Amino acid sequence: MMVLLPYNISKAISEQYGRRVTSDMVSDVPSRSLPEHIRESLEIKVPEQAKASMVCLFNFEASGIAGDTVSSYVFSNSEVQVHTMVDRSVPAWVTEKTDVIIMSYSGNSPEIETIYDVAMRKKARIHCITSGGKLAELCRSNNGNLLRIPAGLNNFEATGYEIGALVNLYEAMGITGIKDAMTSVLPSLIEYRDSVWDSRRTLNISEEMRNRVPVIYSVGELRAVHKRCKMLVNQVLGRLAFAGELPEFDHNEIVSWTEDRNSDEFLILMFRIKTDSELLNRIQDTVMELLPEYDLKIQVIDLEGGLMERAIKGIILADAVVCSMKGGV
Amino acid sequence: MEQTQARTRLHNFLEDIRYSIDTEIDLGERKVNGIFMGAMGGSAIASNIVANCCAHYLDMPLTTNRSPIIPKWVGKDTLSIIATYSGNTDETLEMYNKVKATGAVMVVITSGGKIKGIAEKDGIPVLTVPTGFQPRYSAGFMIGYIAAIMSSIGLPEFKNRLKGCLASLENYRNYLESPGSLAYLLADKYKGSVPVICTESKYKCVSLRWKAAFNENAKTICFDTALSEFRYCEQNPWAEYKGKNLRLIVLTGENDLAAGGPVNNAVKNIESLEFPFDLVAVAGSSHEERVFRALILGDYVTVYMAEAAGIDPETTPVITELKKRIRGEK
């Protein structure tokens, strides 16, 4: 039996879950100090942990941006498996040999208690990255590994601290080299930030985005970038945005982009990088060459640097664009 | 447009599963601690479907990789299933070479092409899918084969659970083929709109399949989103949206609508924001049954949309053109 319920009805608000975004959150703007926040956070010592082999990383709210940024390095450089979760489902394979990392800036995401409880019952090693809330309480009272980040920030300002904390945690879990890799790119990130903030390039992208629904695409390695960009548009600008990934894009989505007359409503924002795969690079280039032939509105943004560096540059650019749209914060 | 060939492929989806699910595969005695599936597009969705169905009982991760770049953890203790319907998908061929270099336990699923010859030469088992249709219509064969592969390494639960609901799924498919069914109703409703499918992660494979089916069958732009992300940051933008085309569809299992549960609460919150949306709640006696009902529904909706608009759901010329250019062919 299938139920289809068309909804357009006003009813009582349920605030308990799926809360309405408050006006305070809508005014969230990112900070231009993201590289400095990473540096500050990297300086915090994390005690050595048992060597990890399997990590189940739960990301809530905007914490997924930090999770995806750092995990892209692990994906290519470590034999440790990192599997990312975004809601209450705890996979059956989580056992006492699994490291469960729960990352939520507020520490009050509604799923946290359920996940913590299941992870405890499975005797997983639990690590928490948060500024406080229920998550910090649970972690403290159950002797989990708690990495506190500063309270009083908005979710986007917290990203730098979350990146630093997760890098430190991974290093402590035996993923060697990640901290040095992160540290070494900080000067380049600062230089990039200074070059794009309030720049003509940023203003141009802002102008293009102003009256259209942005749809952000990138290769999977830059998942953090399209997630950041989308969430910023949603939360800071209060507008809809969507995201997708290459090369999957050229296996199905491109069909509708080139044939559906509703495409006028959207702006395609493509983040492009040079990866280790010549094929993937060629796919990115060819897609960007082909789409304009169909009169689609498209903006291509090239990001340079190595793993993590190019993702964080994308985050910085997205922050700068949204701040400029919000009024030059 | 009259009934298309695509309709025949949809009808045969469950028979395709039956065809492949009991295949005997000998992968030797090697123990594995993870399953890696490398595929793209229509060949990859089978892996997402199996992973979503098994997540609550499979004791090892099943990862779907949709990129020529593979994770470093793939190694000799990994079961790697490489699937490409045509056998010529460039990204998948690159994945094949990289996985082979790790010494992983490998199996290939294909209808032929370059990969069949290469794998046979390398002594890697090849499971064959019939030729003659679009890759996305091969999902039944691929799902059956993945179930059979898992069973062959001592993980028979998915195979048994899926076989247990096939008869019920056939009844549901027959209902969707009857005039006036829900699939016809939705096909009419979504004509001219841009659907946005919102699900919990346990139905992620359904939102991916619906999106691809809207894109390719109905040539309709479609997006997907996670319920957790929707709750966190998309509710107010939806309430502020002034356009007419975007249409939110919350897709879930009927069993997840209990009062006080996260889906129910999210739905109530959406109601309070007063923008139009649809709740599609799928019934079924198991998670597998609900997932497969939802998958079948989406396929029929989009093929009916295409037929009503006089579009052939099977043709995708821009993909052919793009692939030619990527290969440097004129």
Side-chain angles (χ1 to χ4, degrees):
Chain A
M1 181 64 189
M2 166 78 61
V3 180
L4 170 79
L5 304 171
Y7 272 78
N8 189 10
I9 314 155
S10 175
K11 285 191 182 171
I13 299 177
S14 169
E15 292 288 352
Q16 178 194 2
Y17 202 101
R19 72 204 147 74
R20 186 169 186 166
V21 178
T22 66
S23 56
D24 283 350
M25 293 176 76
V26 171
S27 70
D28 278 0
V29 287
S31 160
R32 61 180 288 162
S33 304
L34 187 133
E36 287 81 2
H37 292 169
I38 297 173
R39 175 177 285 156
E40 194 181 321
S41 182
L42 283 174
E43 284 167 9
I44 298 166
K45 295 274 179 284
V46 175
E48 195 173 314
Q49 306 291 310
K51 289 268 183 284
S53 61
M54 193 81 83
V55 174
C56 191
L57 172 62
F58 290 88
N59 291 315
F60 298 106
E61 303 149 348
S63 300
I65 294 159
D68 289 338
T69 301
V70 180
S71 296
S72 69
Y73 179 90
V74 182
F75 181 92
S76 294
N77 290 284
S78 167
E79 287 169 11
V80 176
Q81 295 191 35
V82 176
H83 298 276
T84 302
M85 310 292 150
V86 295
D87 63 19
R88 60 183 173 144
S89 304
V90 179
W93 52 260
V94 170
T95 67
E96 72 280 0
K97 292 178 182 163
T98 311
D99 285 277
V100 167
I101 303 174
I102 309 174
M103 189 153 65
S104 159
Y105 178 67
S106 72
N108 288 320
S109 306
E111 300 88 348
I112 278 171
E113 281 169 303
T114 308
I115 288 161
Y116 209 102
D117 181 53
V118 176
M120 287 251 296
R121 278 191 279 117
K122 287 170 171 279
K123 298 185 169 60
R125 295 186 290 258
I126 303 177
H127 315 265
C128 303
I129 300 176
T130 182
S131 69
K134 266 183 297 188
L135 183 57
E137 279 171 36
L138 282 167
C139 195
R140 257 195 308 259
S141 58
N142 293 290
N143 294 319
N145 180 27
L146 177 61
L147 282 77
R148 287 291 290 263
I149 49 177
L153 307 169
N154 69 47
N155 279 305
F156 297 119
E157 288 174 316
T159 302
Y161 292 102
E162 291 172 326
I163 288 173
L166 189 57
V167 165
N168 275 339
L169 178 58
Y170 279 155
E171 183 86 24
M173 291 160 75
I175 302 173
T176 52
I178 189 166
K179 188 169 180 173
D180 286 345
M182 186 75 257
T183 306
S184 69
V185 302
L186 288 173
S188 154
L189 295 178
I190 290 167
E191 188 182 331
Y192 182 77
R193 184 264 322 277
D194 293 342
S195 73
V196 296
W197 216 274
D198 295 329
S199 67
R200 170 54 52 192
R201 174 82 173 126
T202 304
L203 286 171
N204 286 346
I205 299 169
S206 312
E207 278 308 311
E208 294 287 346
M209 283 172 63
R210 206 164 286 282
N211 296 313
R212 288 172 188 260
V213 176
V215 185
I216 306 115
Y217 285 101
S218 70
V219 296
E221 184 205 306
L222 296 185
R223 193 165 297 138
V225 178
H226 66 64
K227 196 176 275 184
R228 176 72 157 207
C229 212
K230 179 190 160 295
M231 283 185 175
L232 285 166
V233 173
N234 290 157
Q235 267 199 292
V236 180
L237 305 178
R239 290 170 40 191
L240 286 172
F242 300 97
E245 287 182 13
L246 276 78
E248 190 60 16
F249 173 87
D250 58 272
H251 286 266
N252 44 58
E253 290 172 50
I254 195 168
V255 176
S256 59
W257 279 113
T258 55
E259 297 202 28
D260 189 334
R261 277 172 294 180
N262 283 326
S263 62
D264 281 355
E265 190 172 356
F266 304 98
L267 167 72
I268 299 177
L269 269 181
M270 284 268 184
F271 285 91
R272 175 168 59 184
I273 54 173
K274 287 272 176 267
T275 70
D276 294 338
S277 165
E278 279 306 314
L279 172 62
L280 194 48
N281 298 338
R282 205 159 59 242
I283 288 170
Q284 293 179 87
D285 292 342
T286 312
V287 165
M288 288 165 211
E289 167 199 303
L290 185 72
L291 287 181
E293 295 174 20
Y294 289 85
D295 284 335
L296 291 163
K297 197 80 183 156
I298 175 168
Q299 270 274 331
V300 180
I301 298 163
D302 288 304
L303 297 172
E304 293 178 352
L307 282 166
M308 294 196 290
E309 181 183 1
R310 50 203 182 208
I312 298 172
K313 284 181 174 173
I315 291 170
I316 290 170
L317 182 66
D319 289 356
V321 167
V322 168
C323 280
S324 107
M325 292 179 79
K326 190 72 182 169
V329 178
Chain B
M1 182 181 266
E2 291 179 5
Q3 184 171 322
T4 56
Q5 274 300 311
R7 195 98 74 91
T8 310
R9 290 307 320 147
L10 297 195
H11 183 86
N12 290 345
F13 172 68
L14 297 168
E15 277 74 29
D16 297 345
I17 294 174
R18 285 191 194 279
Y19 170 92
S20 53
I21 200 164
D22 287 318
T23 306
E24 296 285 336
I25 303 151
D26 182 6
L27 293 174
E29 299 296 314
R30 277 167 65 181
K31 290 270 179 223
V32 299
N33 63 13
I35 303 172
F36 168 89
M37 180 140 174
M40 301 299 301
S43 301
I45 192 66
S47 169
N48 290 107
I49 293 166
V50 177
N52 257 181
C53 288
C54 297
H56 61 291
Y57 54 80
L58 189 63
D59 64 5
M60 63 182 75
L62 195 170
T63 301
T64 310
N65 194 70
R66 285 182 155 87
S67 164
I69 299 174
I70 67 164
K72 197 176 175 189
W73 55 257
V74 174
K76 60 181 177 38
D77 298 327
T78 311
L79 168 62
S80 293
I81 304 169
I82 305 294
T84 152
Y85 176 70
S86 68
N88 296 320
T89 309
D90 294 326
E91 297 96 313
T92 315
L93 288 165
E94 191 165 318
M95 276 190 258
Y96 174 93
N97 288 328
K98 288 177 177 172
V99 168
K100 186 168 165 282
T102 69
V105 180
M106 290 179 76
V107 188
V108 165
I109 307 175
T110 186
S111 71
K114 287 182 199 162
I115 205 164
K116 185 165 189 283
I118 297 168
E120 284 173 349
K121 199 172 159 199
D122 289 339
I124 287 164
V126 177
L127 303 173
T128 311
V129 177
T131 54
F133 43 85
Q134 288 289 325
R136 62 189 176 281
Y137 301 128
S138 68
F141 292 104
M142 298 221 178
I143 291 165
Y145 278 138
I146 297 169
I149 293 165
M150 289 168 65
S151 185
S152 76
I153 59 163
L155 304 168
E157 194 167 353
F158 172 65
K159 171 177 162 173
N160 295 336
R161 290 170 72 111
L162 181 55
K163 284 175 80 171
C165 62
L166 284 174
S168 164
L169 291 171
E170 279 159 358
N171 288 336
Y172 185 64
R173 173 203 59 197
N174 295 342
Y175 153 69
L176 293 177
E177 290 177 350
S178 62
S181 74
L182 181 64
Y184 280 104
L185 189 151
L186 292 181
D188 189 50
K189 189 181 181 80
Y190 298 136
K191 185 173 59 183
S193 65
V194 176
V196 180
I197 324 289
C198 177
T199 62
E200 284 196 280
S201 61
K202 64 182 174 179
Y203 288 103
K204 176 73 180 170
C205 67
V206 178
S207 65
L208 286 173
R209 178 69 171 191
W210 277 47
K211 185 168 83 163
F214 272 110
N215 293 158
E216 291 186 288
N217 292 338
K219 326 298 182 207
T220 295
I221 296 171
C222 177
F223 304 107
D224 70 331
T225 189
L227 188 73
S228 55
E229 196 164 315
F230 174 82
R231 273 196 344 254
Y232 171 60
C233 61
E234 294 174 17
Q235 295 178 95
N236 281 1
W238 270 103
E240 296 299 318
Y241 174 64
K242 301 285 186 266
K244 291 180 181 157
N245 297 326
L246 288 160
R247 178 81 185 185
L248 181 70
I249 304 168
V250 177
L251 198 149
T252 188
E254 216 175 46
N255 60 321
D256 284 321
L257 285 175
V263 180
N264 184 276
N265 286 333
V267 166
K268 283 185 174 173
N269 212 36
I270 299 169
E271 288 172 13
S272 75
L273 294 172
E274 297 183 51
F275 60 84
F277 78 107
D278 296 318
L279 173 64
V280 178
V282 193
S285 57
S286 65
H287 183 53
E288 285 80 359
E289 188 176 347
R290 289 184 286 274
V291 165
F292 276 81
R293 280 184 176 221
L295 292 166
I296 294 168
L297 174 65
D299 282 351
Y300 276 97
V301 168
T302 53
V303 167
Y304 291 163
M305 281 175 74
E307 289 177 357
I311 297 167
D312 182 352
E314 293 210 75
T315 58
T316 53
V318 71
I319 293 181
T320 311
E321 173 63 20
L322 183 66
K323 285 184 175 175
K324 272 171 62 182
R325 291 197 195 184
I326 289 168
R327 289 176 184 149
E329 298 165 5
K330 292 292 169 194

